[in-house]
Amino acid sequence: MIDHISVGVSDLERAARFYETTLATLGLTRLITRPRTVGFGKAYPEFWINLREGMPPVAPESGVHTCLRAKTTGEVDAFHAAALSAGGASDGPPGIRPHDRVRYYAAFVTDPDGNRIEAVTFPAE
């Protein structure tokens, strides 16, 4: 249903380096680079970062996050590790998240601006 998503960043080059490293674990690459925006995806830009100069860090209590689908638990693990190595912070390590309707495996990170990004997969029992 959703075609693409974008997040604001205060430093485009720093964010581009972070997302190149982190999103590569899920098969997304940098497809478009413009002066104030960078688009990542597989066949077309599905995830955009947009320069917002002077943007304050995203408040942890904002409740907003973007979730990206991983194929395997290994991809979720790699996503989390890559994000940490690229300057992000853990906001929930990789692991099973039992829910009343579905069981899923996910990891949460924040980028250098505080944007909360999740990778998720739904492993078989």
Side-chain angles (χ1 to χ4, degrees):
M1 179 167 102
I2 296 172
D3 182 72
H4 65 276
I5 187 100
S6 63
V7 297
V9 298
S10 63
D11 181 324
L12 191 63
E13 286 309 310
R14 176 185 69 183
R17 287 189 304 272
F18 172 83
Y19 282 108
E20 279 180 324
T21 299
T22 304
L23 297 179
T25 63
L26 303 176
L28 284 77
T29 60
R30 185 193 286 218
L31 299 176
I32 293 178
T33 302
R34 297 183 183 140
R36 299 181 59 84
T37 190
V38 176
F40 299 87
K42 294 178 182 176
Y44 71 96
E46 304 166 63
F47 186 90
W48 293 88
I49 56 173
N50 299 310
L51 179 61
R52 300 291 183 254
E53 293 158 336
M55 181 182 98
V58 176
E61 65 275 5
S62 75
V64 175
H65 83 279
T66 301
C67 183
L68 304 170
R69 183 70 62 95
K71 292 178 185 169
T72 66
T73 58
E75 281 188 2
V76 172
D77 295 345
F79 164 87
H80 189 263
L84 299 184
S85 74
S90 179
D91 198 33
I96 291 290
R97 266 68 175 186
H99 194 273
D100 46 321
R101 292 185 308 134
V102 67
R103 177 180 168 271
Y104 63 99
Y105 188 92
F108 297 84
V109 299
T110 55
D111 74 5
D113 287 293
N115 292 299
R116 191 171 190 233
I117 311 296
E118 174 187 4
V120 66
T121 192
F122 299 87
E125 297 292 325

